[in-house]
């Protein structure tokens, strides 16, 4: 799904766990602004597909977990610097990111990305297309040769199309489909399959934590509970 390319080396790794009431606490970092993957509900709590997945992974891995939110553009540096221990934020596995952090097994298949525009006649190759900064969609737009217009948040990319600043927006289909349905003047005008599946990101030194998360993901795949959540939240296709 998202792809943050870091061009500078990040050093200074710190401990993987915080302590609370004498017990190790694994901190789960998410963006909280990308429904249905993750968002903040009316009660001010992290919600969505990844909240349910993350809570179940912690239960199966016998981890005491807490959720924290972080803006997308600094989500990897703040993992590496120790502000939290795991990224669960709709993050696709990519070669560029794998040079900086490590990944669990994927907990979702590659999610189709959609182009949404106000006109069905748009020529995407020559259009101005909005995307969230540092995402795999932004990289794809640049490769297309179209004009890329980047924004800090997903909502801003949609707003850019609605106010005429951009011709189209490219983001995960699961995020844009409800937007297109709710806005009579917006429609899906194309799709593309990007990324290598979504996984939990950890520091490269945290191999034990990575392996615990992978084992829990494999357990959820085996008993069908992961597919049930994918269907509930309409996150792409299920695992076979």
């Amino acid at each position: 799904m998202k792809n943050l390319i870091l061009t500078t080396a990040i050093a200074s790794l710190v401990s993987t766990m915080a302590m609370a009431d004498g017990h190790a606490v694994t901190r789960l970092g998410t963006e909280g602004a990308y429904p249905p993957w993750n968002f903040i509900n009316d009660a001010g709590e992290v919600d969505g597909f990844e909240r349910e997945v993350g809570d179940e992974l912690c239960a199966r891995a016998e981890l005491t977990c807490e959720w924290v939110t972080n803006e997308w553009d600094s989500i990897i540096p703040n993992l590496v610097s120790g502000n939290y221990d795991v990224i669960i934020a709709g993050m696709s596995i990519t070669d560029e990111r794998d040079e900086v952090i490590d990944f669990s097994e994927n907990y979702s298949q590659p999610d189709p990305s959609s182009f949404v525009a106000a006109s069905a006649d748009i020529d995407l190759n020559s259009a101005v297309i909005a995307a969230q900064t540092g995402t795999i969609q932004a990289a794809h737009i640049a490769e297309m040769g179209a004009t890329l217009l980047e924004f800090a948040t997903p909502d801003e990319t949609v707003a850019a199309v609605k106010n005429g600043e951009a011709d189209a927006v490219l983001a995960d289909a699961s995020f844009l489909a409800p937007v297109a349905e709710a806005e009579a003047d917006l429609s899906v005008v194309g799709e593309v399959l990007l990324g290598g599946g979504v996984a939990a990101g950890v520091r490269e030194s945290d191999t034990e934590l990575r392996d615990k998360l992978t084992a829990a993901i494999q357990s959820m795949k085996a008993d069908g509970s992961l597919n049930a959540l994918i269907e509930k939240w309409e996150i792409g296709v299920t695992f076979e």
Side-chain angles (χ1 to χ4, degrees):
M1 172 189 297
K2 298 183 176 180
N3 176 31
L4 183 62
I5 301 174
L6 302 183
T7 57
T8 58
I10 302 174
S12 164
L13 298 179
V14 296
S15 66
T16 65
M17 303 290 180
M19 298 296 294
D21 299 326
H23 298 284
V25 175
T26 301
R27 295 156 297 177
L28 310 179
T30 195
E31 185 182 13
Y34 206 66
W37 294 81
N38 58 79
F39 58 93
I40 305 301
N41 63 23
D42 293 340
E45 299 175 341
V46 174
D47 205 340
F49 169 69
E50 288 176 308
R51 174 60 192 262
E52 293 201 56
V53 169
D55 286 351
E56 184 62 22
L57 293 180
C58 288
R60 295 187 184 217
E62 299 182 344
L63 300 171
T64 300
C65 296
E66 65 180 25
W67 288 88
V68 299
T69 57
N70 193 95
E71 293 182 355
W72 174 255
D73 60 1
S74 61
I75 203 164
I76 284 182
N78 280 331
L79 169 73
V80 175
S81 64
N83 289 348
Y84 34 81
D85 308 295
V86 184
I87 294 174
I88 301 184
M91 180 172 285
S92 289
I93 302 168
T94 66
D95 291 339
E96 294 90 346
R97 186 177 289 112
D98 198 33
E99 294 178 358
V100 181
I101 64 174
D102 207 352
F103 289 99
S104 69
E105 186 167 302
N106 62 317
Y107 54 79
S108 90
Q109 304 273 34
D111 191 30
S113 294
S114 292
F115 292 94
V116 166
S119 171
D121 298 328
I122 184 174
D123 180 359
L124 292 172
N125 292 317
S126 61
V128 176
I129 306 177
Q132 188 178 13
T133 301
T135 62
I136 200 166
Q137 288 87 2
H140 180 72
I141 294 166
E143 291 171 0
M144 287 172 54
T147 300
L148 170 63
L149 196 59
E150 294 183 280
F151 293 90
T153 68
D155 287 343
E156 288 176 298
T157 65
V158 175
V161 178
K162 293 172 67 175
N163 65 27
E165 191 175 358
D167 300 312
V169 53
L170 179 62
D172 292 309
S174 54
F175 168 71
L176 284 179
V179 173
E181 291 174 4
E183 300 286 343
D185 57 342
L186 297 180
S187 59
V188 176
V189 296
E191 282 196 348
V192 61
L193 192 63
L194 301 174
V198 174
V202 300
R203 289 181 285 273
E204 290 189 324
S205 59
D206 288 345
T207 55
E208 182 178 355
L209 177 58
R210 178 204 64 200
D211 292 345
K212 285 183 177 181
L213 293 170
T214 288
I217 291 167
Q218 291 171 343
S219 174
M220 291 184 70
K221 288 178 178 178
D223 65 16
S225 57
L226 184 54
N227 278 347
L229 290 178
I230 290 171
E231 291 177 341
K232 173 183 176 179
W233 291 98
E234 299 181 351
I235 302 292
V237 298
T238 56
F239 291 95
E240 296 182 358

